[in-house]
Amino acid sequence: MNPTNPITEVDLLIKNAQELLTLFPSSEGESGLGMIKNGTVAIKEGKIFWIGKTEECPKEISLGRGGHKIDATGKVVMPGLIDAHTHLIFAGSRENEFEQRIQGLSYLDIAERGGGILSTVEATRKASFDELFSLGKERLDRMLYKGVTTIEAKSGYGLSLNDEIKILKVMRALQEVHAMEIVPTFLGAHTLPKEFRDVRTRYIDLLTKEMIPRVAEERLAEFCDVFCEERAFTLEESKKILETGKDYGLRPKIHADQLSPGGGAELAAEVGAFSADHLEHVSQEGIKKMAEKGVTAVLLPGASFFLAMKKFPPAREMIEQGMSVSLATDLNPGSSMTESLPLMMTMGCIMYKMVPSEVIQGTTIHAARSMGREKEIGSLEVGKQADILLLAIPNYRYLPYHFGVDHVEKVIKKGEVVYTRSVVCGL
Ligand SMILES: [Zn+2]
């Protein structure tokens, strides 16, 4: 405190949290959560000004005029959740395909009946900017209510220059009106559009010579992603696309080893990807190389669950090898139609054998790292953005344990309360 100006007026004070999870590595912190029992956070101008035990909060910190105080007695306070992998913008839905899969139809059968990813591409191409905007807004609202304050969002249902640009511009317009922070990724290499089926090298040319330069010029994305898979893009094509993206200032990400061990993880390490996502079939060598290069694994239990996959990514092995492991929804109409990151936390525990503290790290600080935002968000530290959740649960293990219901009481984004759970009125 400055002795000549002893009183500091703050905008928001959250006091008496039963468990305040800072996610800051602390000597007394439990399981890497940096837990403070009976904690207080003071927020000024959208950033964390002070954090610590309530009884140690300096008397010089007072609430400014118009400021808010929140009593978090009996509750858990933690950083806003971060969804590190979403396909936010798409039109149409595929519930018919969902039913067909339950009845035993294969991916190929469904594609032959006009379903699959290309049906979403068709619907998205037909949709207007305004339609995509309102669909995107509804999804962002649902995510915010679940406690998510930042998402990564991919294009990839346009697959033509104009349609990919349209999707990325919808994201930009949403960012201007919505509290959710959106980190945009260009995924023109999601799948081969049907008009290029017999001329795939021409699509690679379109991606590398027209789309990537234009996306970069208009500053519409921070990352470039590619679906590296037998059915999508080969290792060689993926490398070319990601390297071109890098030349234009787009940071690499990769959908890797989802359906087969294709060397995607090794490529992620080679090109210096921020994250490799999916990884169900990752090789030992791939894990080792990613650990060495500091690639974050983004695992998508919603897709494992929704596609009833038998093989899960070896999360425990990745953690033991020192990788940062993140969990995300993979929100998309085909393989993971959900906005619920808390549900992914429960799935991460049950299916991937991650413990509750690990799934909390995986949806906060590790997720921030997967998008290069770990200095601004993902943990509660002085000077960092005040993205904070108030949860009506007695301890952090309750969050994945009591699943399928909403525990979020308040969501704070950059110091502003952007969501408060409404109370059901009784008689
Ligand atoms: Zn995906």
Side-chain angles (χ1 to χ4, degrees):
M1 296 297 128
N2 181 345
T4 59
N5 182 19
I7 301 294
T8 298
E9 292 193 335
V10 296
D11 306 316
L12 181 62
L13 260 179
I14 305 170
K15 297 193 88 163
N16 310 319
Q18 172 117 340
E19 291 184 357
L20 172 59
L21 311 182
T22 65
L23 272 294
F24 182 65
S26 117
S27 50
E28 59 177 306
E30 189 180 334
S31 312
L33 295 177
M35 188 204 292
I36 298 170
K37 296 220 167 168
N38 190 14
T40 284
V41 197
I43 294 141
K44 190 176 166 59
E45 289 160 5
K47 300 224 158 97
I48 293 166
F49 180 76
W50 188 88
I51 185 162
K53 283 182 179 292
T54 301
E55 63 264 28
E56 291 168 9
C57 184
K59 288 190 182 56
E60 293 82 0
I61 291 178
S62 78
L63 208 53
R65 221 197 295 181
H68 290 289
K69 187 170 158 183
I70 296 170
D71 180 19
T73 301
K75 290 170 184 158
V76 171
V77 171
M78 64 174 286
L81 300 178
I82 301 170
D83 194 337
H85 184 136
T86 79
H87 299 257
L88 178 72
I89 304 297
F90 58 87
S93 56
R94 285 155 55 187
E95 63 275 32
N96 291 344
E97 193 177 308
F98 171 66
E99 186 168 331
Q100 288 164 357
R101 275 198 292 109
I102 295 164
Q103 291 166 332
L105 256 65
S106 72
Y107 181 92
L108 214 65
D109 298 331
I110 289 165
E112 275 168 11
R113 291 184 181 200
I117 186 169
L118 289 174
S119 67
T120 300
V121 171
E122 205 177 313
T124 307
R125 284 177 175 178
K126 276 189 198 144
S128 68
F129 185 95
D130 290 348
E131 282 163 346
L132 293 177
F133 180 90
S134 80
L135 286 166
K137 184 176 176 305
E138 284 167 21
R139 291 175 195 138
L140 291 177
D141 288 346
R142 282 193 285 269
M143 286 192 260
L144 195 78
Y145 304 156
K146 297 283 182 192
V148 177
T149 50
T150 301
I151 64 162
E152 186 262 8
K154 303 172 194 300
S155 68
Y157 289 114
L159 308 184
S160 72
L161 179 62
N162 288 342
D163 290 305
E164 286 294 307
I165 298 285
K166 175 175 75 173
I167 290 168
L168 291 167
K169 286 192 171 169
V170 167
M171 289 183 201
R172 178 181 279 177
L174 284 166
Q175 183 66 98
E176 281 168 20
V177 300
H178 208 280
M180 185 73 72
E181 194 166 333
I182 303 169
V183 178
T185 294
F186 171 64
L187 178 62
H190 195 184
T191 191
L192 198 69
K194 64 173 183 286
E195 60 274 24
F196 286 88
R197 196 177 289 156
D198 303 319
V199 280
R200 61 183 298 128
T201 54
R202 273 182 44 209
Y203 190 64
I204 309 297
D205 284 348
L206 178 65
L207 281 167
T208 54
K209 292 180 180 155
E210 291 184 52
M211 290 197 198
I212 288 173
R214 176 82 182 277
V215 167
E217 185 190 308
E218 296 204 34
R219 295 178 179 277
L220 286 168
E222 288 181 35
F223 289 91
C224 179
D225 194 347
V226 55
F227 208 127
C228 179
E229 196 68 56
E230 237 168 70
R231 274 206 298 256
F233 296 91
T234 65
L235 269 181
E236 202 181 316
E237 290 164 346
S238 300
K239 188 175 173 188
K240 185 173 179 190
I241 292 159
L242 294 176
E243 290 291 356
T244 306
K246 274 165 70 177
D247 291 343
Y248 283 90
L250 300 175
R251 306 192 278 186
K253 275 180 171 285
I254 181 164
H255 280 67
D257 305 326
Q258 182 188 8
L259 305 167
S260 53
E266 289 85 341
L267 178 62
E270 189 188 334
V271 300
F274 276 66
S275 72
D277 303 29
H278 281 293
L279 299 171
E280 281 81 349
H281 293 267
V282 66
S283 70
Q284 296 282 328
E285 189 62 16
I287 296 178
K288 203 168 138 252
K289 286 189 171 161
M290 289 195 297
E292 273 167 21
K293 288 287 174 69
V295 179
T296 297
V298 176
L299 308 184
L300 307 165
S304 299
F305 170 76
F306 206 68
L307 297 177
M309 289 174 80
K310 303 274 184 303
K311 193 159 166 61
F312 296 151
R316 288 252 54 88
E317 206 176 319
M318 293 179 199
I319 292 168
E320 274 145 33
Q321 296 260 351
M323 285 187 75
S324 295
V325 174
S326 173
L327 291 175
T329 58
D330 194 18
L331 166 63
N332 78 82
S335 62
S336 190
M337 187 63 168
T338 182
E339 286 95 349
S340 180
L341 200 49
L343 187 56
M344 301 305 111
M345 297 164 96
T346 301
M347 289 179 181
C349 292
I350 303 294
M351 291 155 53
Y352 298 170
K353 308 286 178 230
M354 294 168 75
V355 295
S357 59
E358 289 166 345
V359 299
I360 290 175
Q361 290 174 319
T363 47
T364 55
I365 191 66
H366 293 333
R369 195 167 288 126
S370 78
M371 47 180 96
R373 288 280 220 277
E374 71 276 17
K375 291 200 169 66
E376 293 89 41
I377 54 174
S379 64
L380 303 180
E381 297 172 53
V382 171
K384 271 187 143 180
Q385 212 164 282
D387 295 359
I388 301 174
L389 299 186
L390 189 72
L391 301 168
I393 49 175
N395 63 69
Y396 73 85
R397 291 186 180 90
Y398 244 79
L399 184 54
Y401 161 67
H402 189 177
F403 73 101
V405 292
D406 293 327
H407 298 295
V408 177
E409 200 165 293
K410 278 186 195 300
V411 179
I412 293 151
K413 181 68 184 174
K414 295 181 183 169
E416 300 283 333
V417 177
V418 291
Y419 169 70
T420 298
R421 181 164 68 183
S422 56
V423 176
V424 179
C425 294
L427 289 172

